[in-house]
């Protein structure tokens, strides 16, 4: 009887299983009684939303893959057959295509929530870094998925983005050949992108699991950015946050439904309704909207290698952010200057998005450079200095202390 | 509180910047398209079947001489109100290659399950017959152009004499709305280009409107089902949201937060 688990469940069947494989105890501990700060606002829904979104992508993706043909001669047509011949195939495809956009909206809000409330700070550095890994995996997955329907933008987007790797000194050209599986974007490229597009979401599932494990070691941050002190400050996850997350999921599904049923082409590019043609370059090659800020940073630098480095650098700074921000105070609520800079950063990211969508001419070049400069200045210079010079506001004694007077008003 | 500021500012930025972000990809020489009234726009929109049928007549009598519709099926004509017998008759007007019982290549009449018959065996033949220009496949054409049906309408009604100083290439035509203005397709429509079976007066505008409606249908045959299902799902979700929110209020009523 060495390792048997002492289960507290009354139901004999559950107890029998739980004694041998304590899944029920684990679920109850991590999602039932798990102590959670009681002062979350609705921005704390977005983690759960991302999880729901990931499941939706995997389910729709697997069914799409049953009908999709990863061959350059058939891919476009097979997607159109999904739209016309497969029962509710249009629904599957529009949910999957718009689901990618929803996923990035949700995850970007999730990330900026973390930035605003300082959720990346000790002891949650690793949790944050795992999150950045998820973002990178999502980007790779989204990029390769967009290539699959083999429209004009699929083909030319793939060509432009894979070509970026050729800027890497010495090994660049070999990497590009490896990505292509040949000497141009062609059938082998489509085959390997399909294979990887199927694989990576499951890698994401694994990394999300680590993200959650790390979260349940440190516990959640909260809008005040101070740790819960005692039972007064927390609530059991269930039913309080299961129901609050359910409200969020309902609203999220409504937004998703409006997109899928009434504006399925909103985030799409008309050019991708024309089959890929290596001989005809589209008037403008534009990546999916969620890559636009990075695309803008890439083009802000006149040098190819420099641009590529800056683009990857934009994510690398997020990776080391826990050590760039030297302030001991987490929440922007108590950091007046940081709060201002946060909004400047948000504006910069939106402007970079707009810059990425336009030809790099005139005002767009200047805007792109200014905002790129601010982006790096923000993380590499301002945040390290701010920790030293900013006068932060006094922190409340505890979560319940901060919360009770407000409730009495 | 912070959440309110977040939300308000987010909404303002969204409203200001998102359209700029998403609309503008190819906006360099943006020619603004006159907007038409389409029966199928808006959340309750559906196809004007009479118009789409007239549009199909135009496709059949005019456009299909040059443009293929090779991803569409004859059976999809049911969605614009053609009966099964009518669809069978339309399909049977074309022949398709097959292998006969003797194992030799043969021909068979089309059926509703066939894709629309293409005017040319391949792109090269299409170019050869059109002075080097390729008439694009029309199945997804309204989706594949910025502006959709408005663009099709504008293009078909946008032919003019070239302004002084513009030298047209050989076999090219001047069109206000075509990017670059020189298009390899001569104006395919004009007043009374067809005689409508239902007696509608065939003005250029009417014809352009009808064929654009038909092309929009062929690009998005699922549109009516999609919007109907969408409304039902949204009503369900709205009710579910209300109930969930009420339960949430109830559960949280004993918490000071
Ligand atoms: C992390 C989750 C995922 C993301 C972000 C993602 C993203 C995308 C995107 C952006 C497209 C192009 C949509 C279009 O324009 O049609 C796409 C297509 C596709 N994806 Fe995914 N995907 C995910 C998961 C999956 C999974 C798990 C599978 C299969 C097991 C899958 C299978 C497919 C297939 C077959 C297509 C081509 C059909 C189509 O274009 O609609 N995806 N994906």
């Amino acid at each position: 009887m060495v390792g048997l688990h002492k289960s507290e469940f009354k139901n004999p069947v559950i107890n029998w299983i739980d004694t041998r494989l304590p899944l029920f105890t684990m679920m109850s501990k991590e999602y039932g009684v798990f102590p959670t700060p009681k002062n979350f606002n609705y921005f704390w829904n977005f983690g759960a939303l991302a999880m729901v979104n990931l499941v939706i992508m995997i389910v729709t993706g697997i069914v799409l893959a049953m009908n999709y043909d990863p061959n350059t001669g058939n891919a476009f047509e097979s997607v159109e057959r999904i739209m016309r011949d497969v029962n509710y195939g249009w629904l599957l495809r529009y949910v999957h295509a718009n689901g990618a956009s929803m996923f990035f909206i949700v995850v970007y809000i999730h990330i900026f929530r973390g930035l605003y409330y300082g959720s990346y700070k000790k002891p949650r550095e690793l949790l944050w870094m795992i999150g950045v890994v998820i973002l990178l995996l999502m980007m790779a997955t989204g990029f390769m998925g967009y290539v699959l329907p083999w429209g004009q933008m699929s083909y030319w987007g793939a060509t432009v983005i894979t070509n970026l790797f050729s800027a890497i000194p010495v090994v660049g050209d070999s990497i590009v050949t490896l990505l292509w599986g040949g000497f141009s974007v062609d059938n082998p490229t489509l085959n390997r992108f399909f294979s990887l597009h199927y694989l990576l979401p499951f890698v994401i599932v694994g990394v999300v699991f680590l993200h959650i494990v790390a979260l349940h070691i440190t516990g959640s941050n909260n809008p005040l950015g101070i740790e819960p002190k005692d039972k007064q400050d927390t609530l059991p996850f269930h039913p309080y946050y299961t129901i609050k997350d359910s409200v969020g999921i309902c609203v999220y599904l409504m937004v998703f439904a409006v997109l899928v049923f009434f504006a399925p082409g909103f985030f799409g590019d008309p050019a991708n309704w024309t089959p890929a043609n290596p001989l005809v370059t589209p008037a403008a090659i534009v990546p999916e909207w969620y890559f636009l800020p990075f695309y803008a940073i890439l083009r802000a630098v006149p040098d190819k290698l420099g641009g590529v480095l800056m683009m990857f650098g934009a994510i690398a700074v997020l990776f080391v952010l826990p050590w760039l921000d030297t302030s001991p105070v987490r929440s922007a609520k108590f950091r007046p200057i940081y709060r201002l800079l946060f909004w400047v950063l948000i504006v910069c990211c939106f402007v970079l998005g707009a810059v990425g969508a336009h030809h790099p001419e005139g005002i767009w070049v200047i805007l792109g450079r200014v905002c790129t400069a601010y982006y790096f200045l923000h993380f590499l210079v301002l945040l390290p200095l701010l920790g030293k010079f900013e006068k932060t506001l006094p922190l409340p004694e505890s979560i319940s202390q901060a919360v009770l007077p407000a409730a009495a008003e | 509180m912070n959440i309110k500021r977040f939300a308000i500012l987010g909404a303002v930025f969204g409203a200001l910047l998102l359209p700029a972000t998403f609309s503008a990809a190819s906006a360099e020489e943006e020619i603004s398209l006159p907007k038409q009234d389409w029966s199928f726009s808006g959340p309750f929109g559906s196809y004007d079947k009479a118009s789409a049928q007239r549009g199909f007549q135009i496709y059949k009598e005019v456009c299909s001489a040059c443009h293929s519709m090779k991803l569409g099926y004859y059976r999809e004509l049911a969605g614009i109100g053609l009966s099964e017998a009518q669809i069978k008759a339309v399909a049977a007007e074309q022949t398709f290659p097959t292998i006969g019982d003797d194992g030799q290549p043969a021909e068979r009449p089309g059926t509703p399950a066939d894709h629309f018959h293409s005017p040319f065996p391949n792109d090269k033949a299409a170019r050869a017959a059109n002075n080097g220009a390729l008439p694009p496949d029309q199945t997804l054409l309204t989706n594949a152009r910025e502006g959709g049906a408005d663009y099709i309408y504008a293009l078909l009604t946008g032919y003019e004499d070239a302004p002084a100083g513009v030298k047209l290439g050989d076999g090219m035509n001047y069109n206000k709305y075509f990017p670059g203005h020189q298009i390899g397709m001569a104006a395919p429509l004009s007043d009374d280009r067809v005689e409508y079976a239902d007696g509608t007066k065939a003005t250029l505008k009417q014809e352009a409107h009808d064929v654009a409606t038909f092309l929009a249908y062929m690009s998005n045959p699922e549109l009516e089902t999609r919007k109907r299902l969408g409304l039902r799902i949204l009503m369900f979700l709205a009710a579910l949201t209300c109930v969930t929110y009420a339960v949430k209020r109830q559960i949280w009523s004993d918490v000071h937060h």
Side-chain angles (χ1 to χ4, degrees):
Chain A
M1 302 299 273
V2 197
L4 283 191
H5 174 72
K6 280 199 185 52
S7 177
E8 273 154 29
F9 283 89
K10 295 278 181 309
N11 180 312
V13 178
I14 291 182
N15 186 288
W16 187 89
I17 297 174
D18 202 47
T19 308
R20 288 154 181 80
L21 180 66
L23 277 181
F24 293 95
T25 301
M26 192 189 96
M27 280 311 283
S28 153
K29 188 160 154 264
E30 304 299 339
Y31 281 103
V33 295
F34 189 68
T36 313
K38 68 179 188 179
N39 58 331
F40 281 179
N41 57 34
Y42 273 98
F43 283 102
W44 264 261
N45 281 44
F46 284 83
L49 296 183
M51 203 112 86
V52 171
N53 207 320
L54 180 60
V55 173
I56 292 177
M57 294 312 281
I58 290 181
V59 172
T60 52
I62 288 176
V63 186
L64 282 172
M66 294 173 188
N67 299 286
Y68 169 78
D69 183 356
N71 177 298
T72 51
N74 305 337
F76 187 89
E77 218 174 293
S78 78
V79 170
E80 200 47 34
R81 251 197 322 273
I82 292 173
M83 297 290 288
R84 285 166 185 263
D85 294 2
V86 175
N87 288 332
Y88 291 97
W90 57 266
L91 182 57
L92 273 175
R93 200 238 175 155
Y94 280 154
V95 168
H96 196 77
N98 288 291
S101 286
M102 288 297 292
F103 205 3
F104 278 93
I105 292 174
V106 165
V107 165
Y108 282 147
I109 294 177
H110 189 65
I111 292 173
F112 279 105
R113 186 280 315 258
L115 287 178
Y116 190 84
Y117 295 109
S119 304
Y120 47 86
K121 290 188 189 182
K122 193 180 169 207
R124 299 185 181 81
E125 305 95 321
L126 197 53
L127 172 60
W128 170 264
M129 292 162 79
I130 293 173
V132 179
V133 172
I134 297 174
L135 176 65
L136 281 170
L137 288 168
M138 277 174 63
M139 290 177 148
T141 309
F143 164 64
M144 294 193 209
Y146 192 61
V147 177
L148 301 185
W150 209 242
Q152 272 290 66
M153 215 41 89
S154 301
Y155 178 87
W156 289 98
T159 303
V160 169
I161 301 297
T162 51
N163 252 318
L164 293 179
F165 290 90
S166 70
I168 302 170
V170 190
V171 291
D173 287 327
S174 313
I175 292 180
V176 176
T177 308
L178 195 66
L179 284 172
W180 286 345
F183 300 100
S184 65
V185 174
D186 206 335
N187 202 49
T189 325
L190 182 58
N191 286 176
R192 61 193 59 201
F193 278 20
F194 180 49
S195 170
L196 293 174
H197 185 72
Y198 209 136
L199 170 68
L200 288 187
F202 296 94
V203 176
I204 295 179
V205 171
V207 182
V208 167
F209 181 76
L210 297 181
H211 194 68
I212 306 282
V213 172
L215 171 71
H216 282 214
I217 299 292
T218 62
S220 301
N221 187 25
N222 63 75
L224 292 172
I226 57 176
E227 295 296 333
K229 289 219 167 77
D230 54 30
K231 268 191 134 60
Q232 282 245 339
D233 293 345
T234 64
L235 294 167
F237 191 85
H238 181 75
Y240 293 98
Y241 284 110
T242 36
I243 189 67
K244 195 166 175 180
D245 279 344
S246 302
V247 174
I249 289 169
C250 286
V251 175
Y252 152 87
L253 287 177
M254 291 218 292
V255 176
F256 201 162
V258 168
L259 205 54
V260 166
F261 292 102
F262 299 102
F266 182 74
F267 288 113
D269 191 309
N272 229 27
W273 290 96
T274 303
N277 185 346
L279 302 176
V280 179
T281 320
I285 301 174
V286 191
E288 292 270 83
W289 70 266
Y290 36 82
F291 294 130
L292 289 176
F294 299 100
Y295 195 52
I297 291 176
L298 170 80
R299 295 193 303 185
V301 187
D303 174 65
K304 189 170 173 190
L305 179 59
V308 172
L309 288 177
M310 293 282 265
M311 185 173 72
F312 285 109
I315 296 196
V317 292
L318 293 179
F319 214 72
V320 292
L321 173 61
W323 295 275
L324 291 174
D325 185 345
T326 51
S327 171
V329 175
R330 291 199 190 108
S331 175
K333 220 176 161 158
F334 306 106
R335 301 186 60 191
I337 303 180
Y338 175 69
R339 191 161 65 208
L340 187 76
L341 297 184
F342 172 86
W343 289 112
V344 176
L345 182 71
I346 294 257
V347 172
C348 266
C349 289
F350 274 104
V351 172
L352 282 172
V355 171
H358 286 85
H359 272 291
E361 287 167 352
I363 182 75
W364 296 111
V365 178
I366 299 160
L367 281 174
R369 296 208 173 137
V370 169
C371 290
T372 301
Y374 181 77
Y375 184 93
F376 286 100
L377 192 73
H378 179 95
F379 287 109
L380 295 177
V381 179
L382 297 179
L383 287 194
L385 289 181
L386 219 50
K388 303 214 165 51
F389 299 111
E390 186 178 31
K391 259 193 84 66
T392 56
L393 307 179
L395 294 176
E397 197 64 19
S398 72
I399 292 176
S400 50
Q401 260 220 341
V403 154
L404 282 174
E409 268 174 34
Chain B
M1 291 258 305
N2 272 316
I3 182 155
K4 280 209 195 98
R5 270 186 63 178
F6 239 130
I8 293 169
L9 273 162
V12 171
F13 286 133
L16 287 178
L17 289 162
L18 285 186
T21 314
F22 300 126
S23 67
S26 58
E28 291 338 292
E29 189 215 9
E30 190 76 69
I31 318 161
S32 77
L33 299 170
K35 296 261 179 296
Q36 309 298 316
D37 260 337
W38 299 107
S39 54
F40 49 85
S41 54
F44 302 100
S46 62
Y47 292 108
D48 173 347
K49 293 203 167 53
S51 173
Q53 286 187 23
R54 289 193 297 273
F56 171 58
Q57 187 186 341
I58 293 179
Y59 170 75
K60 199 162 128 241
E61 291 178 17
V62 185
C63 320
S64 70
C66 302
H67 289 274
S68 62
M69 178 87 81
K70 58 179 175 233
L71 298 173
Y73 297 95
Y74 287 113
R75 61 172 155 76
E76 286 172 328
L77 293 171
I80 59 168
L82 263 61
S83 70
E84 216 181 301
Q86 283 172 313
I87 296 172
K88 275 193 177 140
V90 169
E93 284 171 25
Q94 301 291 347
T95 55
F96 290 82
T98 181
I99 303 287
D101 290 341
D102 56 0
Q104 297 306 311
E107 304 231 295
R108 62 168 176 84
T111 70
D114 281 311
H115 282 115
F116 277 64
H117 190 267
S118 298
F120 301 103
N122 52 56
D123 285 357
K124 276 200 173 148
R127 279 187 194 278
N130 284 286
N131 198 21
L134 178 69
D137 184 83
Q138 285 191 333
T139 324
L140 299 169
L141 206 51
T142 53
N143 289 354
R145 293 293 180 276
E146 202 78 57
D150 282 328
Y151 173 73
I152 307 283
Y153 179 91
L155 185 83
L156 293 172
T157 55
Y159 284 88
E160 298 181 332
D161 292 333
V166 174
K167 226 178 107 49
L168 289 177
D170 192 29
M172 293 303 225
N173 308 273
Y174 190 87
N175 191 300
K176 259 195 294 193
Y177 298 107
F178 189 67
H181 303 303
Q182 298 212 21
I183 182 166
M185 167 173 74
L189 297 176
S190 54
D191 288 341
D192 297 317
R193 179 69 181 75
V194 297
E195 192 174 326
Y196 277 134
D198 65 2
T200 305
K201 193 161 160 35
T203 59
L204 169 62
K205 287 185 170 174
Q206 183 70 43
E207 292 168 355
H209 185 92
D210 291 342
V211 79
T213 302
F214 174 66
L215 292 182
Y217 169 74
M218 288 309 291
S219 289
N220 300 289
E222 86 296 344
L223 176 139
E224 291 180 7
T225 325
R226 165 157 59 75
K227 289 183 178 175
R228 232 180 299 124
L229 185 61
L231 283 175
R232 272 193 256 152
I233 286 183
L234 272 184
M235 283 192 306
F236 169 76
L237 284 176
L240 190 67
T241 306
C242 294
V243 172
T244 314
Y245 187 65
V247 175
K248 189 250 164 195
R249 291 284 299 250
Q250 173 66 31
I251 289 176
W252 279 74
S253 57
D254 60 342
V255 182
H256 297 295
H257 68 284

